[in-house]
Amino acid sequence: MQPLKFRKAELKDVEQLLYLINRAYRHDTARSWTNEAKLVSGSRIDEQQLQQALADQNFHLYVAEIDNDLSTLSIVACIGLTFNHNEVEIGTFCVDPIFQNTGIGKTVLSFAEAQALLIQPNLDVYVMFVLDIRTELLAYYQRRGYRPTDLKISYPLDANVGQPLRHIELQQMLKNIK
């Protein structure tokens, strides 16, 4: 596997990011183990939401790229950091299904954790929210030092991030930094 190149996402990336994020989360791709197509219908994100997120000063979206066969760079993963006082929420994390199970996810998560501390060195905790019925994802994050808390919140029905096909809550997970 070629080395990943990380950079902050730009408006010129919106089309490619929309395809990546919705494909990783909502297209029924056999290779994708992060897929939610059987759990949530509709898009994970739309163009307006992504453009608004990129304009938010507290949100940093990073892309991971690799050289493709055409000697250009292709976005293969992304991850977002939302800063709030002494914590950072990690989200909008996905890897192109073609590249899943290759170690890219671990590399991207490690990059995001390190990048968060470069941006805000006084952070105490990493925070993320995972669909509570995605036991394989909960286990993945636990292997990376995150622990589930007692906090579960309702799926955000009014956020235009898809409609659950059954009862789903978001499980908060934390990883202490200090």
Side-chain angles (χ1 to χ4, degrees):
M1 171 80 40
Q2 299 171 3
L4 294 173
K5 296 176 182 168
F6 291 96
R7 66 174 174 82
K8 200 163 180 185
E10 302 172 16
L11 284 175
K12 68 179 177 109
D13 301 318
V14 167
E15 186 176 329
Q16 218 178 136
L17 285 167
L18 286 172
Y19 178 75
L20 170 70
I21 295 166
N22 287 311
R23 182 167 175 242
Y25 282 102
R26 299 293 163 75
H27 291 190
D28 199 1
T29 307
R31 185 168 163 79
S32 177
W33 69 278
T34 59
N35 191 279
E36 302 169 350
K38 291 180 173 56
L39 306 171
V40 181
S41 67
S43 295
R44 175 72 155 66
I45 195 166
D46 65 29
E47 185 173 354
Q48 180 181 359
Q49 289 168 319
L50 188 52
Q51 288 175 346
Q52 286 174 343
L54 291 174
D56 183 342
Q57 296 299 309
N58 289 324
F59 179 72
H60 300 253
L61 185 65
Y62 292 91
V63 297
E65 299 174 305
I66 60 168
D67 287 319
N68 65 25
D69 296 335
L70 305 172
S71 298
T72 59
L73 295 174
S74 294
I75 296 174
V76 296
C78 67
I79 194 162
L81 303 172
T82 304
F83 293 89
N84 185 21
H85 301 294
N86 64 337
E87 65 182 40
V88 62
E89 183 177 335
I90 297 174
T92 318
F93 178 21
C94 66
V95 176
D96 187 313
I98 293 169
F99 293 95
Q100 289 183 10
N101 301 311
T102 64
I104 286 178
K106 292 176 200 169
T107 302
V108 171
L109 183 57
S110 293
F111 166 83
E113 290 173 348
Q115 189 67 23
L117 286 172
L118 288 174
I119 294 168
Q120 192 169 321
N122 65 336
L123 290 172
D124 293 327
V125 67
Y126 302 113
V127 179
M128 64 175 57
F129 289 88
V130 180
L131 298 183
D132 65 339
I133 57 177
R134 297 298 309 278
T135 56
E136 70 284 2
L137 281 179
L138 294 167
Y140 173 84
Y141 292 121
Q142 285 179 297
R143 289 191 301 273
R144 272 136 203 90
Y146 290 80
R147 61 179 166 65
T149 69
D150 292 335
L151 178 63
K152 283 188 179 185
I153 58 175
S154 299
Y155 189 89
L157 296 172
D158 58 346
N160 195 25
V161 292
Q163 293 295 312
L165 301 174
R166 57 194 235 192
H167 179 74
I168 296 174
E169 292 181 309
L170 301 178
Q171 170 68 59
Q172 183 188 55
M173 298 189 81
L174 301 179
K175 180 177 179 179
N176 292 327
I177 297 170
K178 299 174 182 174

